[in-house]
């Protein structure tokens, strides 16, 4: 099982969308808001959903950054005194 499989499994276990799914839905929310024509109530609901999706994307990206930083730190040669 790859780390991608693990991430997908973890996301489905908690009903949190994966990065790509959250990003795609966020793009659709933004598109709908920019198109206009929705009621104030619907616009607010879309905005709130967009905020939730942005938070999910940020979480995934921060996790990826932490993994990358950890990998780089492991592979960094020891500094000589």
């Amino acid at each position: 099982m790859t780390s991608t499989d693990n991430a997908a499994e973890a996301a489905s276990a908690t009903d949190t969308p994966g990065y790509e799914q959250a990003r795609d839905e966020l793009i659709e929310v933004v598109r709908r808001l920019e198109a206009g024509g929705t009621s104030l109530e619907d616009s607010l609901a879309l905005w709130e959903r967009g905020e939730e999706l942005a938070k999910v994307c940020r979480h995934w990206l921060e996790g990826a950054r932490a993994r990358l930083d950890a990998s780089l730190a492991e592979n960094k040669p020891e500094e000589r005194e």
Side-chain angles (χ1 to χ4, degrees), residues 2-76:
T2 67
S3 61
T4 304
D5 294 335
N6 290 338
E9 188 175 299
S12 65
T14 61
D15 291 331
T16 301
Y19 173 77
E20 289 83 5
Q21 181 183 354
R23 181 202 58 212
D24 291 347
E25 187 178 345
L26 180 57
I27 290 168
E28 179 61 20
V29 165
V30 170
R31 186 194 64 72
R32 289 179 61 194
L33 284 169
E34 287 178 341
T38 57
S39 68
L40 177 59
E41 187 174 319
D42 288 343
S43 294
L44 287 173
L46 284 169
W47 179 269
E48 290 169 347
R49 180 62 180 157
E51 288 291 330
E52 291 172 13
L53 292 165
K55 201 177 294 185
V56 169
C57 289
R58 197 167 29 253
H59 171 78
W60 280 105
L61 291 172
E62 288 169 355
R65 169 56 74 185
R67 289 177 56 196
L68 178 61
D69 289 345
S71 178
L72 290 173
E74 286 177 7
N75 294 322
K76 185 178 179 180

